[in-house]
């Protein structure tokens, strides 16, 4: 999977990688994504498993065992790099916009 496809992440992708810094199975990932995003992002089963397959194929996550029939996933080093790059990109957007947003609120 070309890294270019993951140049910027959707909110769902970002939160899935964020929660996979510790190993989790699918249902836990769905629950944690909603919790960590304070309810702003919900991931359905179909979307989740499609994204997990894409991330796994791209080398950004890997299986870290099983719990019965449930597959456990965790982020890889390459996935950490992707997550960090997205975090820095989002931080830059906020930092660049801050002076303009603060200026508008002072008026």
């Amino acid at each position: 999977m070309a890294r270019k496809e993951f140049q910027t992440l959707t909110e769902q992708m970002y939160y899935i990688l964020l929660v996979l810094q510790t190993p989790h199975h699918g249902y836990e990932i769905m629950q944690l994504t909603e919790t960590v995003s304070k309810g702003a992002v919900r991931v359905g089963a179909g979307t989740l498993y499609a994204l997990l397959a894409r991330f796994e194929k791209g080398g950004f996550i890997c299986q870290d065992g099983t719990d019965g029939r449930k597959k456990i996933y965790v982020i890889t080093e390459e996935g950490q790099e992707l997550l960090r790059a997205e975090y820095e990109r989002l931080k830059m957007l906020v930092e660049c916009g801050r002076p303009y947003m603060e200026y508008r609120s002072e008026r």
Side-chain angles (χ1 to χ4, degrees):
M1 187 90 15
R3 186 174 176 99
K4 189 171 185 172
E5 176 184 357
F6 297 103
Q7 204 160 12
T8 60
L9 302 177
T10 66
E11 287 180 322
Q12 292 171 326
M13 296 167 105
Y14 178 80
Y15 282 107
I16 289 168
L17 289 178
L18 194 62
V19 302
L20 283 177
Q21 292 188 81
T22 55
H24 295 287
H25 62 73
Y27 185 67
E28 288 175 325
I29 297 167
M30 286 191 289
Q31 289 179 312
L32 286 168
T33 297
E34 187 171 353
T35 300
V36 170
S37 71
K38 298 180 180 173
V41 176
R42 297 179 84 178
V43 181
T47 300
L48 174 68
Y49 289 106
L51 288 174
L52 290 176
R54 287 174 57 201
F55 281 146
E56 192 170 20
K57 186 176 180 185
F60 301 113
I61 66 169
C62 64
Q63 288 186 34
D64 190 45
T66 58
D67 180 11
R69 292 182 12 191
K70 300 173 186 172
K71 295 177 184 175
I72 308 293
Y73 297 94
V74 69
I75 196 167
T76 62
E77 190 62 41
E78 190 171 305
Q80 285 284 3
E81 291 173 16
L82 179 65
L83 181 61
R84 171 60 63 185
E86 182 67 5
Y87 172 81
E88 294 298 332
R89 185 186 77 81
L90 294 170
K91 196 166 80 168
M92 185 185 72
L93 289 174
V94 171
E95 289 170 2
C96 290
R98 181 174 286 121
Y100 297 95
M101 297 306 292
E102 288 172 357
Y103 170 76
R104 297 292 295 171
S105 64
E106 292 174 0
R107 292 178 91 194

